[in-house]
Amino acid sequence: NSPYVLSELVDPPLTQKGRDQCVAARAAAELVSPQKIIVSPLCRAVQTAILTFDKSISDSRVSVIAHEDIRESFGRHTCDKRRTVSESKREFRDVDFSLIATDE
């Protein structure tokens, strides 16, 4: 059995190491002034943006927009599949998912 097809790996979150890397990148992120942050709708991509640009987002200086066309992969592996938009909207209330046409 390949671990890449396990249902519990659908759209996995960042690992602790990934979260730590985002926090470490905050100082560099504060040196730029983005107007918008466009992210893949995959959980790990959204978390990366939110954790890295925490100050800009919390100060309402930047909007975060999820866009299906910038996903890194539409592969056959379970981890490449995204959760439904409805689920993502519940978890990431500060992210605009309106450009994604289908819930699935």
Side-chain angles (χ1 to χ4, degrees):
N1 282 346
S2 172
Y4 294 107
V5 295
L6 296 173
S7 62
E8 56 265 29
L9 292 180
V10 170
D11 201 3
L14 281 174
T15 62
Q16 184 60 52
K17 180 179 180 178
R19 290 189 296 273
D20 292 343
Q21 289 171 331
C22 292
V23 171
R26 282 183 182 163
E30 290 179 15
L31 298 175
V32 297
S33 299
Q35 294 176 352
K36 294 181 174 139
I37 299 171
I38 313 297
V39 298
S40 160
L42 292 177
C43 179
R44 58 191 177 267
V46 175
Q47 287 177 319
T48 297
I50 290 171
L51 290 170
T52 304
F53 289 93
D54 177 59
K55 186 164 175 42
S56 295
I57 295 168
S58 64
D59 291 349
S60 298
R61 295 182 306 190
V62 65
S63 57
V64 181
I65 302 165
H67 198 291
E68 192 82 85
D69 291 343
I70 63 168
R71 281 180 56 183
E72 61 272 15
S73 178
F74 285 94
R76 65 173 207 248
H77 296 136
T78 305
C79 63
D80 296 332
K81 297 177 182 0
R82 69 166 167 79
R83 61 185 71 184
T84 66
V85 172
S86 300
E87 290 175 87
S88 294
K89 283 181 178 179
R90 282 192 298 275
E91 184 171 351
F92 304 112
R93 297 183 189 279
D94 294 331
V95 178
D96 178 359
F97 288 92
S98 65
L99 296 176
I100 300 177
T102 63
D103 193 47
E104 297 296 321

